[in-house]
Amino acid sequence: MRKERVGFAVCGSFCTHERVLKALEALTEIYETVIPIVSEISAFTDTRFGRSEDLLERLEDLTGNDVLLDIPSVEPIGPKSLLDVLVIAPATGNTIAKLAAGIADTSVTMAAKSHLRNGRPVVLAVSSNDGLAAGAKNIGELLVRRNYYFVPFGQDNAVQKPSSLVADFGKLPETVDAALRGEQLQPILLR
């Protein structure tokens, strides 16, 4: 087992949670310490894709750690150097926009801000219905920013949702490994 400490932050985009949890399971087989973090919306919202209580339970079962789900619980990440890498999966258009603008008003954006103060990598697994529309500028902003790394992504349904982007969550472990070396996994754009 690798010793690097991984933070794993889950945002909305509820339709991708099953794929995200499979990617998390793969990470827990590689890394000894994985700390689960959820956005407030994920922590307290039941949807047609599942109950929030079940999500929190699965995160704790997979990682063996309590879920961090509010700003006070994630703020110490940076000052105490708790993580070597922070994964945000799914990284919604809303979260990406906040990161691009420097806004830290949720547990996930605060975790990123706190973690980035140490110059350590943040891995983003995009899931956004407007990634090729209003969200494109925010993705572009983070693509050129230091310490941000993207899980390779592409259009998930170019015919019915031409602006929608989603990461290949199966490439998450490879992307984390590359980010820990300071490299962006390539190719970043998938067909």
Side-chain angles (χ1 to χ4, degrees):
M1 297 285 284
R2 290 182 57 166
K3 300 295 184 193
E4 293 97 335
R5 298 156 300 166
V6 178
F8 196 92
V10 177
C11 295
S13 189
F14 300 98
C15 62
T16 63
H17 281 185
E18 280 305 315
R19 287 180 280 166
V20 165
L21 290 169
K22 285 181 184 172
L24 171 61
E25 186 172 1
L27 285 178
T28 62
E29 294 172 5
I30 300 167
Y31 296 94
E32 189 174 293
T33 303
V34 179
I35 307 297
I37 301 163
V38 294
S39 66
E40 290 83 346
I41 198 77
S42 294
F44 303 111
T45 305
D46 294 338
T47 72
R48 65 187 171 106
F49 299 103
R51 297 180 329 143
S52 58
E53 180 179 311
D54 295 336
L55 173 65
L56 299 177
E57 185 176 312
R58 283 188 66 193
L59 289 168
E60 289 182 352
D61 287 347
L62 283 170
T63 64
N65 290 299
D66 292 337
V67 176
L68 306 179
L69 47 74
D70 57 22
I71 288 175
S73 67
V74 300
E75 187 277 330
I77 287 172
K80 292 184 178 181
S81 294
L82 298 178
L83 304 175
D84 295 299
V85 60
L86 174 64
V87 173
I88 302 176
T92 61
N94 187 53
T95 295
I96 290 170
K98 289 180 178 193
L99 293 172
I103 297 169
D105 65 350
T106 69
S107 53
V108 173
T109 55
M110 177 57 79
K113 177 184 176 184
S114 186
H115 176 70
L116 284 166
R117 73 182 265 171
N118 297 321
R120 294 181 178 163
V122 173
V123 172
L124 301 173
V126 175
S127 181
S128 174
N129 283 328
D130 74 343
L132 291 176
K137 67 180 180 177
N138 300 316
I139 292 169
E141 174 67 31
L142 296 180
L143 280 169
V144 299
R145 242 189 243 171
R146 189 176 165 176
N147 297 318
Y148 281 101
Y149 301 88
F150 283 78
V151 176
F153 60 86
Q155 290 177 282
D156 60 323
N157 186 340
V159 175
Q160 293 179 332
K161 301 187 301 181
S163 297
S164 183
L165 294 175
V166 69
D168 179 348
F169 296 107
K171 294 187 181 295
L172 190 59
E174 296 174 76
T175 307
V176 169
D177 183 53
L180 284 165
R181 295 190 314 269
E183 300 171 9
Q184 171 61 58
L185 186 66
Q186 295 292 340
I188 194 169
L189 294 177
L190 305 174
R191 291 183 180 188

